[in-house]
Structures are given as C-alpha cells and as structure tokens.
Amino acid sequence: MKDLFEKKKRSPSKPEPLAVRMRPRDLREFVGQGHILGPGKLLTRAIEADTIASLVLYGPPGTGKTTLAHVVSNATKAEFVPLNATVSNVQELRKEIEAAKQRRMLYDKKTILFVDEIHRFNKAQQDVLMPDVEAGVVILIGATTYNPFFSIVAPLISRSLVFELKPLSVADIIKVLHNALKDKDRGLGSIRINIENKALEFLARLSEGDARRALNGLELAALTTQKSKDGAVNITLQ
C-alpha cells in the first residue's frame, strides 16, 4: 500500500488554472488598484525599497490581495512564509515565529509571514502574533475579505498599515484578459483565438470586478469552444 501511495504521489499534477498561471510576478504586471499602487505611492515605494512594514490587505475576492503578497515576496530579500488561517493553528504560528527568530539571529534575515484569510484566526491566535510583530521578528501581511477594523484585534491593526483593495474596473479586467490571450508561456497565446470585443466586455462585466472569475470564464470558453476548420478558436458573444 505504501509503494502504491508513493507512486500515486509522484504522478504528474494537472496544469494550474489560467488565473494562477497569470498571477503577476512584479508591480509592472499588476493591473488596477491605482489608488494605492503607482509611481510615488507609499506602498509602491515601500515594495521597491524593500522596506515593507506589517500590512493588512482587505477587499472582495479576485482584487489582488494574495497576488500583491506574492509580488512583495518576489521583490523582497526577506524569507516569505505563507499560511492560511483556515488550516493553521497556534502551534504552527509559534513554530514559524521561532524559525523567524533563528533566521534573524543566525543570518540577519527578515521574515514576511503572509496569513491568508486572517479573519479566520480567533482572538487568541491573533494575540500570539502581536509581540513578535511589534518587535519586528516577523513582518505580517494579512489578507481578508472582511472589514479588518471589525475582524482583527485592535492592537494588531495599530501595528499594521491597512490598505483597501477595490473591485477592478471593466477596463482593468479587459486588460487582464488581453494579457492572458497574448502570453504564450503562461497564458493562452499558444492557441489561435479570435474573440469578439463584445465577448470580452461581457466577460469583464459579468465578473463584477473579480479578475479570477474573468480568467476562469475566458479559459472555459477557450478550451470548450470547438475549433473552426482552419484550427482557430472563435469566441463570440453568443
């Protein structure tokens, strides 16, 4: 049974969804959120200078919270440790904080602790983070769809910069879709796709500011539309 399990574990995994493959790798690829990102903006300057303080990012799904955390991880020289509050516990938090202390003492290296869905942590779990966030042992980046002023304890909020991410505009999402259609390495650029502008706009409006939903819709349309005789995928509004 063990050999069978190990063989199954080594089998090739399915390709990642288009929305994951097209996740921006740096600020140049990031679309939207111009109210907090862009030339001269505080968050952009902090990322580019690798001087990120603890952050709380909140907003609807698909607006770029996790993506922005990955952009920070690619730009920083710090160790990037991702956790998801739905499956993590106090024991795991203490383990990562202790590792961060050792990392700072032995290698003088900072640690960014990214906690997705941080609102899922109860008060006791959030309290575990406070002393080490305040002491700079870890730089916390928390992501939440809930208003952090109600879902995160006040002492942790007071030690963090809070940024609200807003739903993407239709123009922003159309740009995201165009990028996916052109990218041959990570997107759909290797497939000959003809798509009506009205179809793109329909997808963008239907997604309601959620780039992930828009990319999922585009991928579904591209992979399920029957090719024409010349081998092209023609996506219409219909």
Side-chain angles (χ1 to χ4, degrees), residues 170 173 199-210 213-214 217:
V170 170
I173 291 186
L200 273 179
E201 185 175 342
F202 174 78
L203 273 175
R205 293 189 183 282
L206 192 68
S207 66
E208 298 180 328
D210 185 332
R213 281 177 61 186

Side-chain angles (χ1 to χ4, degrees), residues 163-182:
F163 291 96
E164 180 183 6
L165 279 73
K166 299 178 180 179
L168 275 67
S169 68
V170 170
D172 284 338
I173 291 186
I174 288 175
K175 183 176 181 180
V176 169
L177 296 175
H178 274 300
N179 290 343
L181 287 166
K182 290 186 297 183

